Amino acid sequence: MGPLDPRDYSRRTLLANERTYLAWWRTGLTTLTVALAAARVIPDLGHPAARWPYTALGVLFAVLGTICIVYAERRRRSVDRAVRQGGFAEPDPRLTLLLTVGGTVAGVAMLVLIVLDG
């Protein structure tokens, strides 16, 4: 067995970066699907007294999903550039905090709607 080619590590890291990019896309698309369900499908099935909370929740999920998709490309480029230069690209802590807070608010809002309209 011959010596390992150090370029293999970079190739594997770039492929992992591509998989992570696709995971961000899947998350974004799933969140957009949740947005559509929250804003349109659930109110049509449940006939709540007020539709606006579902619409607001759907908008919040749509914003989160869109951020995921946009960040996917931004993150893919920064990691790709860093790997090719032999460095490391830190994730944007402001954006990850925004997604964490936004997701938490959306989850709590959904729980409140389930309890109040259930």
Side-chain angles (χ1 to χ4, degrees), residues 17-18 20-35 60-78 95 98-99:
N17 186 37
E18 183 177 336
T20 302
Y21 169 74
L22 294 173
W24 277 100
W25 258 91
R26 284 189 300 274
T27 301
L29 292 175
T30 301
T31 307
L32 290 173
T33 303
V34 170
L60 177 56
F61 274 114
V63 167
L64 291 172
T66 302
I67 289 171
C68 284
I69 292 170
V70 170
Y71 184 65
E73 178 58 19
R74 182 175 164 211
R75 179 81 179 139
R76 185 198 62 77
R77 284 183 189 185
S78 67
L95 189 68
L98 173 72
L99 288 171

Side-chain angles (χ1 to χ4, degrees), residues 1-2 4 14 26 28 31-32 39 44 50 53-54 58 71 74 77 85-86 89-90 94 97 104:
M1 188 167 168
L4 288 175
L14 291 171
R26 284 189 300 274
T31 307
L32 290 173
D44 285 347
Y54 294 93
Y71 184 65
R74 182 175 164 211
R77 284 183 189 185
Q85 294 172 354
E90 291 283 342
R94 296 166 301 175
L97 179 62
T104 302

